[in-house]
Amino acid sequence: MSDIADRVKKIVVEHLGVEEDKVSENASFIDDLGADSLDTVELVMAFEEEFGIEIPDDAAETIQTFGDAVKFIKEAA
Amino acid sequence: MFDLTGKAALVTGASGGIGGSIARALHAHGATVALSGTREAPLKALADALGERAHVLPCDLSDPAAVEALPKDAAKAMGSLDILVNNAGITRDNLLLRMSDDEWQSVIDINLTAQMRLCRGVLRGMMKARWGRIINIGSIVGAAGNPGQCNYAAAKAGLVGLSKSLAAEVASRNVTVNCIAPGFVTTPMTDKLTEEQKAGLLAQVPLARMGDPEEIAAAAVYLASPEAGYVTGATLHVNGGMAML
């Protein structure tokens, strides 16, 4: 697993308080990991901070799963 | 009770009567304060009077870029930002028949839009810290209306709706958002009223006197305190009974 994926997973685990093995490629933050809408905003903020990138709102809306987040950040970072 | 030691508060309009009193009261209860306003001299004078734990951050609330920067500057100056008191406000009174778009818009910009921007700007840090207090200073006029103040009343009523909605959005992060709605308080803003106007207004106040800025500040200290942790989305009316809401 790439470094970026590890760092994203760490943020998700810490923020949502879920088990690491639940954070799979297709795990949806809201449907599978119990995030509410505010959590998803906070996750995006945490990603921005961790990776020093800007994630605009329309892009943030497309980040629904762990895999989406890793893919977006890989392209942006 | 009401110990704010270790908390950092940003107060806008701190050069004014109510804002200055709020800043003094928060400071007296142990908070570090950032004093904001357009006029630097009175802010400096207040900071000097307070001594330690006081920072001066002038800001023109009609300048969106300056408003965006203010929470960041405050957090940098104080190390954190735990309490926001959105107190600054202006009046451009006129009967609606005569009110210009500019009179309307400038009041909406300074009394509502700037407040929204400051709320937005402080949220990130408060949500992360899982502790925050936002106190928006509304007005009795926002609930009861007042001839000649369609713009001011609309902005102040808007602040209540903003506060309630935001309170619901961030409650899960232990950030509370409340309003204080002062009635008729002795400040430079009300000094402009004629004696006749004052007498007319006082006739509607069961406590039969004007409020002191310190009496508004006491409400702010309460809402900022840990003891008010279960109060959110509320409007605390401090108006001598002028309107019992």
Side-chain angles (χ1 to χ4, degrees):
Chain A
M1 189 179 272
S2 73
D3 173 50
I4 284 179
D6 281 344
R7 285 157 70 191
V8 171
K9 184 173 281 187
K10 186 160 175 280
I11 289 170
V12 172
V13 166
E14 274 176 10
H15 194 88
L16 300 178
V18 291
E19 298 292 328
E20 204 174 319
D21 57 11
K22 291 259 199 294
V23 187
S24 60
E25 178 79 16
N26 293 319
S28 157
F29 294 127
I30 289 175
D31 296 333
D32 301 318
L33 302 176
D36 63 18
S37 59
L38 200 56
D39 287 317
T40 62
V41 175
E42 283 189 317
L43 278 175
V44 165
M45 283 172 10
F47 297 151
E48 288 179 328
E49 217 160 282
E50 172 75 17
F51 297 99
I53 56 174
E54 286 267 339
I55 305 178
D57 284 347
D58 52 345
E61 280 168 27
T62 67
I63 301 176
Q64 303 283 338
T65 67
F66 171 65
D68 292 340
V70 173
K71 183 163 171 283
F72 181 91
I73 293 162
K74 271 183 181 164
E75 284 164 11
Chain B
M1 226 184 188
F2 305 153
D3 183 8
L4 301 176
T5 305
K7 301 296 184 194
L10 169 62
V11 181
T12 68
S15 51
I18 290 177
S21 284
I22 290 172
R24 268 192 290 272
L26 295 175
H27 187 270
H29 285 78
T32 299
V33 292
L35 312 170
S36 190
T38 43
R39 292 170 295 137
E40 194 168 352
L43 297 176
K44 278 213 167 119
L46 178 54
D48 288 345
L50 294 177
E52 286 178 10
R53 295 184 282 111
H55 303 264
V56 173
L57 297 173
C59 180
D60 175 3
L61 292 182
S62 65
D63 175 357
V67 175
E68 298 286 343
L70 182 59
K72 294 185 184 109
D73 293 343
K76 199 186 274 178
M78 299 188 287
S80 67
L81 183 46
D82 311 294
I83 300 161
L84 168 67
V85 182
N86 263 320
N87 165 74
I90 59 166
T91 53
R92 294 284 182 274
D93 295 354
N94 215 336
L95 295 171
L96 189 67
L97 269 172
R98 293 172 186 275
M99 186 174 289
S100 68
D101 280 5
D102 184 56
E103 284 169 334
W104 169 268
Q105 197 60 47
S106 58
V107 168
I108 297 295
D109 286 349
I110 304 272
N111 294 10
L112 182 59
T113 306
Q115 268 70 348
M116 174 280 291
R117 289 199 174 104
L118 288 174
C119 287
R120 195 172 59 191
V122 301
L123 280 179
R124 189 181 282 230
M126 289 180 182
M127 282 165 59
K128 265 196 165 172
R130 294 291 192 269
W131 201 97
R133 297 280 187 268
I134 295 175
I135 301 165
N136 292 321
I137 307 301
S139 168
I140 173 69
V141 165
N146 195 27
Q149 292 199 306
C150 286
N151 48 3
Y152 188 79
K156 293 298 189 180
L159 214 43
V160 173
L162 163 68
S163 303
K164 289 179 179 180
S165 303
L166 181 57
E169 286 185 14
V170 296
S172 64
R173 300 306 186 269
N174 199 32
V175 177
T176 68
V177 188
N178 292 289
C179 284
I180 298 172
F184 191 26
V185 177
T186 314
T187 65
M189 203 186 263
T190 52
D191 285 347
K192 281 190 272 180
L193 299 171
T194 64
E195 286 307 315
E196 195 184 354
Q197 284 173 315
K198 283 186 191 173
L201 280 164
L202 278 181
Q204 304 167 39
V205 181
L207 279 170
R209 65 172 177 85
M210 292 174 76
D212 290 324
E214 290 75 20
E215 291 169 315
I216 309 303
V221 169
Y222 167 62
L223 290 175
S225 73
E227 284 80 359
Y230 200 54
V231 180
T232 195
T235 299
L236 182 45
H237 291 274
V238 185
N239 62 27
M242 189 174 180
M244 300 190 188
L245 303 162

